[in-house]
Amino acid sequence: MAGGCDEYWREVSVAGVPVRYCRCGAGSPVLILHHDIGCPDRAPFAEALSVNHDVLMPVHPGFGLGSERAEWMRSVRDLAVLYRGLLAGLGIGRATLVGLGFGGWVAAEMASMAPADVDRLVLVGAMGLQPREGFILDQALVGYIDYAEAFFKDPAAFDAVYGREPTNDQLEAWDICREMCFRIAWKPYMYSQTLAPLLGSVTAPALVVHGADDGVVPADCAAQYAAALPNARLETVADCGHAVALERPEALARLVQDFIGE
Amino acid sequence: MHLMYFTEQPMSTYPADKGLEFGATALMFSNRYFDPVDGSRLYNEFLEQYLYAEEVGIDGIMLNEHHNAPFCMQAKANIFAAILAGMTEKVKIVMLGNPLPLAENPVRLAEELAMIDMISRGRLVSGFVRGGGQEQLAAGVNPAYNRERFEEAHDLVVRAWTETGPFRFEGRHYQNRVVNPWAVPLQKPYPRVWVPGVISRETIVWAAEQRYPYIALNTSIADTKKIWQTYDDVALEAGYEAGPENRGYLIQVHVSDNEEKAIENARQFRWMQGEFTGLAHPVWSTPSGYSSPRNRRAFVEFAAGRRANPRGQTSFEQQMEDLRIIAGTPDTVVPKLRRILEETRPGILALWGNDGTVSQEDSMTCIRMIGTEVFPAIREIAKELDLKSPFEAEAPVSIRYSTDLKAPAAAAE
């Protein structure tokens, strides 16, 4: 998407912050929210969805080189409110929200604060809830490449996205993403203590997806989302790590397209 | 000249091979290797060293703290400061320093320091630091707000010391609805604040803006001069001329009655596998957001093993050559220190006397010779070079209490 269609990139000011987003395709609106390690140059998952949908994929402000951060932002819920503002500003009332990993947490927050504006909700390896077993991997303790590699089951899939030796620009971008994660999700780390009860109001159909070999977010988080959302279904993608959209883009696109078409 | 003794308080009995095996001796290196029996002995040996430092005429004892690592056993500098406040009579108790961002309630820190100042009858120097990157992780404190927390906590502590309570403080990171400590410093307007540092330009600038002495931690002569240039420029802009009373220097110096033994013991300054803070993953020592964005590129490349440590890493021999480590008898040590004093002109000098596995006996010998031979000679040199400490120069505690400020040089033209 981003790689092949530069003309689809736009920028709009929301809450005083410039938000870059890619908009591509036609159909019902789908908002895709990316991982905490930034928005990769190529997004085959989003491209596949854009065949049948009006796909919007913003870069979280402050996540990556050239992405201005919101100095005032202090929580992931703040980011979710900002995206509510983005959609409203674009005149999009109801949308399908697709959140990837950290972006899944943002999507769940967005859904909880305006349940009626959710067409469908897709959470893929979503952070945001405290696992009852295990922990969400602490990126503060591992190197930039090690953390990104942990998103994949198959090292070759990492290479395909970032290259065997990620560039120094990429390293710097990951450090900037990491700083922004610390700014808004440091404590408790990568989950909310108040989100779970609020999910009960989200009656829209929800699809909770989890990579069977997710080494970043424990499977229990997916189980909790599926239990807390009244109308949710849980799907596990076999032979796949945390970054399902990057490691198994076609499989995920199929799942999501079928789900939206139901 | 204010002359001090310093030790990192090394936990020297940890099994070095286990550190090498694990690949790190900081943050995540398991405390299963911390032996409290040795710990108890070592804490008492360090106390013995401090009391002896006072006995042999040393002016000040410099204290610091670190966490989760064998290179420094002090987990709370105020603990030793409190002990020394009660057990010593003359020495200045120089905290270099309390890591402000680690404080969840700076008012409590202000109270502790006020107690130390009163118990010591006004002998506290209350230095403040940002704390290393690993300290933020060890304390669960957000590294991305380190500098904001540092500056805000400083402001709150100073207000708690100087303003009549009760008052209300509403900051970005600290909100204290009732500030009214029933413990205030004996020294007025407040205890001197010195700021140690190594690399961050922002900290040098901040210290100069506050008119707080900056203590360069074991930097090379060339780097120390660069630091003073930055400090002096900011000072002029702020309306004062910086001098020796604004400059401190900490240097690793081991003194013995025997040259070979001195050099052998000085090798212990590199005891933690060549890194005085131990081996650590770069992202532990420089978590995202902790360092200046100007250094981001260099640090990420270092973290990925693509370039050398921007903080620098040099061999023992090179450090001896650069006079960042000095070892010998007083006869050989004093001329080398003289050169540093001539070149960098500090009014505060701390000797980091021993490290690693240097025996208690050799440490005590070192302290005796520093106090009775090295420092008397340094005092004479300081007089000759007119190197006055903040106490001797009667320097104001901070810019706010300065009565000699000039209009900024640029504006006057």
PDB file of all heavy atoms in Angstrom, chain A residues 71 74 141-142 165-166 168-169 172 175 178-179 182-183 186-187, chain B residues 137 140-143 145 172 283-284 288-289 296-297 300-301 306:
ATOM      1  N   GLU A  71       3.211  16.150  22.384  1.00  0.00           N
ATOM      2  CA  GLU A  71       3.895  16.268  23.678  1.00  0.00           C
ATOM      3  C   GLU A  71       2.939  16.048  24.845  1.00  0.00           C
ATOM      4  O   GLU A  71       3.329  15.582  25.898  1.00  0.00           O
ATOM      5  CB  GLU A  71       4.558  17.646  23.805  1.00  0.00           C
ATOM      6  CG  GLU A  71       5.711  17.887  22.846  1.00  0.00           C
ATOM      7  CD  GLU A  71       6.950  17.072  23.191  1.00  0.00           C
ATOM      8  OE1 GLU A  71       7.174  16.768  24.374  1.00  0.00           O
ATOM      9  OE2 GLU A  71       7.695  16.726  22.245  1.00  0.00           O
ATOM     10  N   ARG A  74      -0.426  11.343  27.101  1.00  0.00           N
ATOM     11  CA  ARG A  74       0.053  10.638  28.281  1.00  0.00           C
ATOM     12  C   ARG A  74      -0.475   9.209  28.392  1.00  0.00           C
ATOM     13  O   ARG A  74      -0.093   8.473  29.290  1.00  0.00           O
ATOM     14  CB  ARG A  74      -0.347  11.405  29.557  1.00  0.00           C
ATOM     15  CG  ARG A  74       0.522  12.622  29.850  1.00  0.00           C
ATOM     16  CD  ARG A  74       1.921  12.175  30.219  1.00  0.00           C
ATOM     17  NE  ARG A  74       2.797  13.280  30.572  1.00  0.00           N
ATOM     18  CZ  ARG A  74       3.494  14.004  29.692  1.00  0.00           C
ATOM     19  NH1 ARG A  74       3.376  13.752  28.409  1.00  0.00           N
ATOM     20  NH2 ARG A  74       4.285  14.969  30.087  1.00  0.00           N
ATOM     21  N   LEU A 141      13.960  -4.078  27.895  1.00  0.00           N
ATOM     22  CA  LEU A 141      15.079  -4.931  28.301  1.00  0.00           C
ATOM     23  C   LEU A 141      15.814  -5.578  27.133  1.00  0.00           C
ATOM     24  O   LEU A 141      16.833  -6.230  27.337  1.00  0.00           O
ATOM     25  CB  LEU A 141      14.576  -6.031  29.254  1.00  0.00           C
ATOM     26  CG  LEU A 141      13.931  -5.525  30.546  1.00  0.00           C
ATOM     27  CD1 LEU A 141      13.440  -6.687  31.396  1.00  0.00           C
ATOM     28  CD2 LEU A 141      14.898  -4.661  31.340  1.00  0.00           C
ATOM     29  N   VAL A 142      15.278  -5.419  25.934  1.00  0.00           N
ATOM     30  CA  VAL A 142      15.906  -6.095  24.781  1.00  0.00           C
ATOM     31  C   VAL A 142      16.264  -5.091  23.688  1.00  0.00           C
ATOM     32  O   VAL A 142      15.694  -3.994  23.621  1.00  0.00           O
ATOM     33  CB  VAL A 142      14.989  -7.206  24.204  1.00  0.00           C
ATOM     34  CG1 VAL A 142      14.737  -8.289  25.232  1.00  0.00           C
ATOM     35  CG2 VAL A 142      13.658  -6.635  23.722  1.00  0.00           C
ATOM     36  N   GLU A 165      19.634  -7.240   7.735  1.00  0.00           N
ATOM     37  CA  GLU A 165      20.306  -6.198   8.521  1.00  0.00           C
ATOM     38  C   GLU A 165      19.484  -4.915   8.402  1.00  0.00           C
ATOM     39  O   GLU A 165      19.687  -4.143   7.467  1.00  0.00           O
ATOM     40  CB  GLU A 165      21.727  -5.949   7.977  1.00  0.00           C
ATOM     41  CG  GLU A 165      22.673  -7.124   8.109  1.00  0.00           C
ATOM     42  CD  GLU A 165      23.172  -7.288   9.546  1.00  0.00           C
ATOM     43  OE1 GLU A 165      23.141  -6.304  10.309  1.00  0.00           O
ATOM     44  OE2 GLU A 165      23.587  -8.410   9.886  1.00  0.00           O
ATOM     45  N   PRO A 166      18.569  -4.687   9.316  1.00  0.00           N
ATOM     46  CA  PRO A 166      17.757  -3.465   9.206  1.00  0.00           C
ATOM     47  C   PRO A 166      18.657  -2.224   9.139  1.00  0.00           C
ATOM     48  O   PRO A 166      19.734  -2.199   9.739  1.00  0.00           O
ATOM     49  CB  PRO A 166      16.931  -3.478  10.496  1.00  0.00           C
ATOM     50  CG  PRO A 166      16.894  -4.912  10.916  1.00  0.00           C
ATOM     51  CD  PRO A 166      18.197  -5.502  10.477  1.00  0.00           C
ATOM     52  N   ASN A 168      20.107   1.680   9.563  1.00  0.00           N
ATOM     53  CA  ASN A 168      20.236   2.548  10.733  1.00  0.00           C
ATOM     54  C   ASN A 168      19.034   3.480  10.875  1.00  0.00           C
ATOM     55  O   ASN A 168      18.649   3.839  11.988  1.00  0.00           O
ATOM     56  CB  ASN A 168      21.539   3.348  10.658  1.00  0.00           C
ATOM     57  CG  ASN A 168      22.746   2.461  10.913  1.00  0.00           C
ATOM     58  OD1 ASN A 168      22.637   1.405  11.536  1.00  0.00           O
ATOM     59  ND2 ASN A 168      23.895   2.873  10.422  1.00  0.00           N
ATOM     60  N   ASP A 169      18.440   3.860   9.748  1.00  0.00           N
ATOM     61  CA  ASP A 169      17.200   4.648   9.816  1.00  0.00           C
ATOM     62  C   ASP A 169      16.109   3.863  10.539  1.00  0.00           C
ATOM     63  O   ASP A 169      15.354   4.405  11.338  1.00  0.00           O
ATOM     64  CB  ASP A 169      16.700   4.999   8.400  1.00  0.00           C
ATOM     65  CG  ASP A 169      17.381   6.239   7.850  1.00  0.00           C
ATOM     66  OD1 ASP A 169      18.109   6.917   8.611  1.00  0.00           O
ATOM     67  OD2 ASP A 169      17.204   6.521   6.647  1.00  0.00           O
ATOM     68  N   GLU A 172      16.751   3.791  14.227  1.00  0.00           N
ATOM     69  CA  GLU A 172      16.387   5.068  14.836  1.00  0.00           C
ATOM     70  C   GLU A 172      14.860   5.183  14.953  1.00  0.00           C
ATOM     71  O   GLU A 172      14.347   5.656  15.970  1.00  0.00           O
ATOM     72  CB  GLU A 172      16.958   6.207  13.978  1.00  0.00           C
ATOM     73  CG  GLU A 172      17.078   7.492  14.744  1.00  0.00           C
ATOM     74  CD  GLU A 172      17.741   8.610  13.941  1.00  0.00           C
ATOM     75  OE1 GLU A 172      18.431   8.304  12.931  1.00  0.00           O
ATOM     76  OE2 GLU A 172      17.573   9.772  14.322  1.00  0.00           O
ATOM     77  N   ASP A 175      13.705   3.275  17.885  1.00  0.00           N
ATOM     78  CA  ASP A 175      13.988   3.968  19.150  1.00  0.00           C
ATOM     79  C   ASP A 175      12.953   5.057  19.403  1.00  0.00           C
ATOM     80  O   ASP A 175      12.499   5.250  20.536  1.00  0.00           O
ATOM     81  CB  ASP A 175      15.400   4.571  19.118  1.00  0.00           C
ATOM     82  CG  ASP A 175      15.769   5.204  20.451  1.00  0.00           C
ATOM     83  OD1 ASP A 175      15.866   4.453  21.442  1.00  0.00           O
ATOM     84  OD2 ASP A 175      15.941   6.433  20.514  1.00  0.00           O
ATOM     85  N   ARG A 178       9.786   3.442  20.449  1.00  0.00           N
ATOM     86  CA  ARG A 178       9.944   2.948  21.814  1.00  0.00           C
ATOM     87  C   ARG A 178       9.782   4.086  22.818  1.00  0.00           C
ATOM     88  O   ARG A 178       9.115   3.938  23.840  1.00  0.00           O
ATOM     89  CB  ARG A 178      11.340   2.306  21.938  1.00  0.00           C
ATOM     90  CG  ARG A 178      11.537   1.512  23.177  1.00  0.00           C
ATOM     91  CD  ARG A 178      12.904   0.857  23.192  1.00  0.00           C
ATOM     92  NE  ARG A 178      12.952  -0.377  22.407  1.00  0.00           N
ATOM     93  CZ  ARG A 178      13.807  -1.365  22.647  1.00  0.00           C
ATOM     94  NH1 ARG A 178      14.691  -1.256  23.615  1.00  0.00           N
ATOM     95  NH2 ARG A 178      13.801  -2.457  21.906  1.00  0.00           N
ATOM     96  N   GLU A 179      10.369   5.218  22.485  1.00  0.00           N
ATOM     97  CA  GLU A 179      10.229   6.370  23.382  1.00  0.00           C
ATOM     98  C   GLU A 179       8.758   6.748  23.536  1.00  0.00           C
ATOM     99  O   GLU A 179       8.287   7.035  24.634  1.00  0.00           O
ATOM    100  CB  GLU A 179      11.034   7.564  22.847  1.00  0.00           C
ATOM    101  CG  GLU A 179      10.873   8.802  23.723  1.00  0.00           C
ATOM    102  CD  GLU A 179      11.763   9.970  23.305  1.00  0.00           C
ATOM    103  OE1 GLU A 179      12.560   9.807  22.374  1.00  0.00           O
ATOM    104  OE2 GLU A 179      11.663  11.024  23.950  1.00  0.00           O
ATOM    105  N   PHE A 182       7.003   4.396  25.763  1.00  0.00           N
ATOM    106  CA  PHE A 182       7.307   4.686  27.164  1.00  0.00           C
ATOM    107  C   PHE A 182       6.481   5.889  27.645  1.00  0.00           C
ATOM    108  O   PHE A 182       5.979   5.896  28.764  1.00  0.00           O
ATOM    109  CB  PHE A 182       8.804   4.977  27.346  1.00  0.00           C
ATOM    110  CG  PHE A 182       9.706   3.777  27.158  1.00  0.00           C
ATOM    111  CD1 PHE A 182      11.093   3.928  27.145  1.00  0.00           C
ATOM    112  CD2 PHE A 182       9.194   2.501  26.996  1.00  0.00           C
ATOM    113  CE1 PHE A 182      11.940   2.840  26.977  1.00  0.00           C
ATOM    114  CE2 PHE A 182      10.021   1.399  26.819  1.00  0.00           C
ATOM    115  CZ  PHE A 182      11.404   1.574  26.809  1.00  0.00           C
ATOM    116  N   ARG A 183       6.358   6.868  26.771  1.00  0.00           N
ATOM    117  CA  ARG A 183       5.641   8.086  27.175  1.00  0.00           C
ATOM    118  C   ARG A 183       4.175   7.808  27.495  1.00  0.00           C
ATOM    119  O   ARG A 183       3.597   8.458  28.360  1.00  0.00           O
ATOM    120  CB  ARG A 183       5.724   9.156  26.079  1.00  0.00           C
ATOM    121  CG  ARG A 183       7.107   9.762  25.922  1.00  0.00           C
ATOM    122  CD  ARG A 183       7.158  10.758  24.776  1.00  0.00           C
ATOM    123  NE  ARG A 183       6.475  11.993  25.085  1.00  0.00           N
ATOM    124  CZ  ARG A 183       7.055  13.056  25.650  1.00  0.00           C
ATOM    125  NH1 ARG A 183       8.333  13.032  25.955  1.00  0.00           N
ATOM    126  NH2 ARG A 183       6.363  14.138  25.900  1.00  0.00           N
ATOM    127  N   TRP A 186       3.973   3.273  29.851  1.00  0.00           N
ATOM    128  CA  TRP A 186       5.078   2.788  30.688  1.00  0.00           C
ATOM    129  C   TRP A 186       4.607   1.989  31.898  1.00  0.00           C
ATOM    130  O   TRP A 186       5.175   0.971  32.251  1.00  0.00           O
ATOM    131  CB  TRP A 186       5.918   3.997  31.143  1.00  0.00           C
ATOM    132  CG  TRP A 186       7.008   3.646  32.085  1.00  0.00           C
ATOM    133  CD1 TRP A 186       7.001   3.797  33.450  1.00  0.00           C
ATOM    134  CD2 TRP A 186       8.288   3.057  31.765  1.00  0.00           C
ATOM    135  NE1 TRP A 186       8.189   3.361  33.981  1.00  0.00           N
ATOM    136  CE2 TRP A 186       8.982   2.906  32.966  1.00  0.00           C
ATOM    137  CE3 TRP A 186       8.887   2.665  30.557  1.00  0.00           C
ATOM    138  CZ2 TRP A 186      10.270   2.351  33.016  1.00  0.00           C
ATOM    139  CZ3 TRP A 186      10.159   2.123  30.600  1.00  0.00           C
ATOM    140  CH2 TRP A 186      10.832   1.974  31.820  1.00  0.00           C
ATOM    141  N   LYS A 187       3.548   2.494  32.550  1.00  0.00           N
ATOM    142  CA  LYS A 187       3.164   1.891  33.821  1.00  0.00           C
ATOM    143  C   LYS A 187       1.666   1.998  34.025  1.00  0.00           C
ATOM    144  O   LYS A 187       1.164   3.119  34.122  1.00  0.00           O
ATOM    145  CB  LYS A 187       3.890   2.647  34.945  1.00  0.00           C
ATOM    146  CG  LYS A 187       4.130   1.863  36.208  1.00  0.00           C
ATOM    147  CD  LYS A 187       4.956   2.700  37.165  1.00  0.00           C
ATOM    148  CE  LYS A 187       5.632   1.829  38.190  1.00  0.00           C
ATOM    149  NZ  LYS A 187       6.513   2.577  39.072  1.00  0.00           N
TER     150      LYS A 187
ATOM    151  N   LEU B 137      15.226   1.881  35.062  1.00  0.00           N
ATOM    152  CA  LEU B 137      14.589   0.571  34.869  1.00  0.00           C
ATOM    153  C   LEU B 137      14.514  -0.180  36.195  1.00  0.00           C
ATOM    154  O   LEU B 137      13.521  -0.843  36.479  1.00  0.00           O
ATOM    155  CB  LEU B 137      15.365  -0.235  33.825  1.00  0.00           C
ATOM    156  CG  LEU B 137      15.467   0.422  32.437  1.00  0.00           C
ATOM    157  CD1 LEU B 137      16.328  -0.428  31.504  1.00  0.00           C
ATOM    158  CD2 LEU B 137      14.079   0.614  31.820  1.00  0.00           C
ATOM    159  N   GLY B 140      11.697   1.314  38.001  1.00  0.00           N
ATOM    160  CA  GLY B 140      10.407   1.363  37.299  1.00  0.00           C
ATOM    161  C   GLY B 140       9.972   2.781  36.971  1.00  0.00           C
ATOM    162  O   GLY B 140       8.786   3.066  36.842  1.00  0.00           O
ATOM    163  N   VAL B 141      10.947   3.681  36.831  1.00  0.00           N
ATOM    164  CA  VAL B 141      10.624   5.081  36.558  1.00  0.00           C
ATOM    165  C   VAL B 141      10.787   5.355  35.065  1.00  0.00           C
ATOM    166  O   VAL B 141      11.760   4.910  34.445  1.00  0.00           O
ATOM    167  CB  VAL B 141      11.533   6.011  37.385  1.00  0.00           C
ATOM    168  CG1 VAL B 141      11.381   7.458  36.934  1.00  0.00           C
ATOM    169  CG2 VAL B 141      11.200   5.880  38.862  1.00  0.00           C
ATOM    170  N   ASN B 142       9.853   6.101  34.513  1.00  0.00           N
ATOM    171  CA  ASN B 142       9.821   6.315  33.064  1.00  0.00           C
ATOM    172  C   ASN B 142      11.042   7.097  32.576  1.00  0.00           C
ATOM    173  O   ASN B 142      11.198   8.274  32.901  1.00  0.00           O
ATOM    174  CB  ASN B 142       8.547   7.074  32.697  1.00  0.00           C
ATOM    175  CG  ASN B 142       8.221   6.974  31.222  1.00  0.00           C
ATOM    176  OD1 ASN B 142       9.126   6.834  30.400  1.00  0.00           O
ATOM    177  ND2 ASN B 142       6.945   7.032  30.908  1.00  0.00           N
ATOM    178  N   PRO B 143      11.901   6.449  31.759  1.00  0.00           N
ATOM    179  CA  PRO B 143      13.109   7.150  31.297  1.00  0.00           C
ATOM    180  C   PRO B 143      12.794   8.304  30.354  1.00  0.00           C
ATOM    181  O   PRO B 143      13.582   9.235  30.227  1.00  0.00           O
ATOM    182  CB  PRO B 143      13.898   6.052  30.560  1.00  0.00           C
ATOM    183  CG  PRO B 143      12.906   5.000  30.218  1.00  0.00           C
ATOM    184  CD  PRO B 143      11.821   5.071  31.252  1.00  0.00           C
ATOM    185  N   TYR B 145      10.724  10.620  30.687  1.00  0.00           N
ATOM    186  CA  TYR B 145      10.456  11.878  31.391  1.00  0.00           C
ATOM    187  C   TYR B 145      11.564  12.204  32.385  1.00  0.00           C
ATOM    188  O   TYR B 145      11.382  12.989  33.310  1.00  0.00           O
ATOM    189  CB  TYR B 145       9.105  11.810  32.106  1.00  0.00           C
ATOM    190  CG  TYR B 145       7.946  11.607  31.151  1.00  0.00           C
ATOM    191  CD1 TYR B 145       7.086  10.520  31.266  1.00  0.00           C
ATOM    192  CD2 TYR B 145       7.729  12.518  30.111  1.00  0.00           C
ATOM    193  CE1 TYR B 145       6.042  10.337  30.373  1.00  0.00           C
ATOM    194  CE2 TYR B 145       6.681  12.337  29.222  1.00  0.00           C
ATOM    195  CZ  TYR B 145       5.847  11.246  29.358  1.00  0.00           C
ATOM    196  OH  TYR B 145       4.813  11.070  28.473  1.00  0.00           O
ATOM    197  N   ARG B 172       3.836  18.909  36.523  1.00  0.00           N
ATOM    198  CA  ARG B 172       3.431  17.960  35.488  1.00  0.00           C
ATOM    199  C   ARG B 172       3.592  16.526  35.987  1.00  0.00           C
ATOM    200  O   ARG B 172       2.779  15.664  35.695  1.00  0.00           O
ATOM    201  CB  ARG B 172       4.306  18.193  34.264  1.00  0.00           C
ATOM    202  CG  ARG B 172       3.879  17.412  33.061  1.00  0.00           C
ATOM    203  CD  ARG B 172       4.523  17.994  31.811  1.00  0.00           C
ATOM    204  NE  ARG B 172       4.054  17.309  30.625  1.00  0.00           N
ATOM    205  CZ  ARG B 172       4.354  17.695  29.397  1.00  0.00           C
ATOM    206  NH1 ARG B 172       5.095  18.751  29.193  1.00  0.00           N
ATOM    207  NH2 ARG B 172       3.907  17.018  28.356  1.00  0.00           N
ATOM    208  N   VAL B 283      20.774  -0.848  25.646  1.00  0.00           N
ATOM    209  CA  VAL B 283      19.429  -0.289  25.841  1.00  0.00           C
ATOM    210  C   VAL B 283      19.059  -0.201  27.322  1.00  0.00           C
ATOM    211  O   VAL B 283      18.100   0.479  27.674  1.00  0.00           O
ATOM    212  CB  VAL B 283      18.309  -1.055  25.069  1.00  0.00           C
ATOM    213  CG1 VAL B 283      18.586  -1.046  23.576  1.00  0.00           C
ATOM    214  CG2 VAL B 283      18.113  -2.456  25.584  1.00  0.00           C
ATOM    215  N   TRP B 284      19.820  -0.879  28.176  1.00  0.00           N
ATOM    216  CA  TRP B 284      19.599  -0.692  29.624  1.00  0.00           C
ATOM    217  C   TRP B 284      20.231   0.625  30.069  1.00  0.00           C
ATOM    218  O   TRP B 284      19.644   1.368  30.842  1.00  0.00           O
ATOM    219  CB  TRP B 284      20.218  -1.811  30.459  1.00  0.00           C
ATOM    220  CG  TRP B 284      19.757  -3.182  30.116  1.00  0.00           C
ATOM    221  CD1 TRP B 284      18.719  -3.533  29.301  1.00  0.00           C
ATOM    222  CD2 TRP B 284      20.331  -4.406  30.586  1.00  0.00           C
ATOM    223  NE1 TRP B 284      18.619  -4.905  29.236  1.00  0.00           N
ATOM    224  CE2 TRP B 284      19.591  -5.461  30.016  1.00  0.00           C
ATOM    225  CE3 TRP B 284      21.389  -4.719  31.437  1.00  0.00           C
ATOM    226  CZ2 TRP B 284      19.886  -6.796  30.265  1.00  0.00           C
ATOM    227  CZ3 TRP B 284      21.688  -6.043  31.694  1.00  0.00           C
ATOM    228  CH2 TRP B 284      20.941  -7.072  31.113  1.00  0.00           C
ATOM    229  N   SER B 288      15.256   4.315  25.700  1.00  0.00           N
ATOM    230  CA  SER B 288      14.705   5.308  24.769  1.00  0.00           C
ATOM    231  C   SER B 288      14.134   6.496  25.536  1.00  0.00           C
ATOM    232  O   SER B 288      13.411   6.328  26.514  1.00  0.00           O
ATOM    233  CB  SER B 288      13.610   4.674  23.919  1.00  0.00           C
ATOM    234  OG  SER B 288      14.152   3.589  23.193  1.00  0.00           O
ATOM    235  N   GLY B 289      14.469   7.682  25.064  1.00  0.00           N
ATOM    236  CA  GLY B 289      13.942   8.890  25.679  1.00  0.00           C
ATOM    237  C   GLY B 289      14.792   9.423  26.809  1.00  0.00           C
ATOM    238  O   GLY B 289      14.612  10.552  27.256  1.00  0.00           O
ATOM    239  N   ARG B 296      20.725  10.235  19.574  1.00  0.00           N
ATOM    240  CA  ARG B 296      19.913   9.049  19.291  1.00  0.00           C
ATOM    241  C   ARG B 296      20.587   8.131  18.263  1.00  0.00           C
ATOM    242  O   ARG B 296      20.721   6.929  18.475  1.00  0.00           O
ATOM    243  CB  ARG B 296      18.537   9.476  18.779  1.00  0.00           C
ATOM    244  CG  ARG B 296      17.526   8.360  18.766  1.00  0.00           C
ATOM    245  CD  ARG B 296      16.226   8.759  18.069  1.00  0.00           C
ATOM    246  NE  ARG B 296      15.476   9.822  18.697  1.00  0.00           N
ATOM    247  CZ  ARG B 296      14.599   9.647  19.690  1.00  0.00           C
ATOM    248  NH1 ARG B 296      14.382   8.456  20.189  1.00  0.00           N
ATOM    249  NH2 ARG B 296      13.942  10.672  20.187  1.00  0.00           N
ATOM    250  N   ARG B 297      21.020   8.746  17.151  1.00  0.00           N
ATOM    251  CA  ARG B 297      21.591   7.937  16.077  1.00  0.00           C
ATOM    252  C   ARG B 297      22.810   7.149  16.568  1.00  0.00           C
ATOM    253  O   ARG B 297      22.939   5.952  16.317  1.00  0.00           O
ATOM    254  CB  ARG B 297      21.990   8.867  14.915  1.00  0.00           C
ATOM    255  CG  ARG B 297      22.467   8.143  13.681  1.00  0.00           C
ATOM    256  CD  ARG B 297      21.310   7.421  13.018  1.00  0.00           C
ATOM    257  NE  ARG B 297      21.658   6.906  11.716  1.00  0.00           N
ATOM    258  CZ  ARG B 297      20.810   6.828  10.699  1.00  0.00           C
ATOM    259  NH1 ARG B 297      19.559   7.221  10.842  1.00  0.00           N
ATOM    260  NH2 ARG B 297      21.198   6.334   9.550  1.00  0.00           N
ATOM    261  N   VAL B 300      21.688   4.216  18.925  1.00  0.00           N
ATOM    262  CA  VAL B 300      21.039   3.046  18.314  1.00  0.00           C
ATOM    263  C   VAL B 300      22.058   2.227  17.526  1.00  0.00           C
ATOM    264  O   VAL B 300      21.994   1.001  17.504  1.00  0.00           O
ATOM    265  CB  VAL B 300      19.814   3.404  17.435  1.00  0.00           C
ATOM    266  CG1 VAL B 300      18.737   4.070  18.268  1.00  0.00           C
ATOM    267  CG2 VAL B 300      20.170   4.250  16.223  1.00  0.00           C
ATOM    268  N   GLU B 301      23.006   2.913  16.909  1.00  0.00           N
ATOM    269  CA  GLU B 301      24.033   2.181  16.158  1.00  0.00           C
ATOM    270  C   GLU B 301      24.934   1.404  17.117  1.00  0.00           C
ATOM    271  O   GLU B 301      25.309   0.262  16.858  1.00  0.00           O
ATOM    272  CB  GLU B 301      24.838   3.156  15.291  1.00  0.00           C
ATOM    273  CG  GLU B 301      24.025   3.701  14.125  1.00  0.00           C
ATOM    274  CD  GLU B 301      24.764   4.766  13.317  1.00  0.00           C
ATOM    275  OE1 GLU B 301      25.991   4.898  13.487  1.00  0.00           O
ATOM    276  OE2 GLU B 301      24.108   5.464  12.531  1.00  0.00           O
ATOM    277  N   ARG B 306      27.041  -1.610  15.880  1.00  0.00           N
ATOM    278  CA  ARG B 306      27.553  -1.068  14.613  1.00  0.00           C
ATOM    279  C   ARG B 306      28.541   0.075  14.801  1.00  0.00           C
ATOM    280  O   ARG B 306      29.028   0.625  13.850  1.00  0.00           O
ATOM    281  CB  ARG B 306      26.393  -0.601  13.733  1.00  0.00           C
ATOM    282  CG  ARG B 306      25.529  -1.762  13.305  1.00  0.00           C
ATOM    283  CD  ARG B 306      24.346  -1.312  12.469  1.00  0.00           C
ATOM    284  NE  ARG B 306      23.502  -2.461  12.163  1.00  0.00           N
ATOM    285  CZ  ARG B 306      22.350  -2.379  11.525  1.00  0.00           C
ATOM    286  NH1 ARG B 306      21.920  -1.207  11.122  1.00  0.00           N
ATOM    287  NH2 ARG B 306      21.642  -3.458  11.290  1.00  0.00           N
TER     288      ARG B 306
END
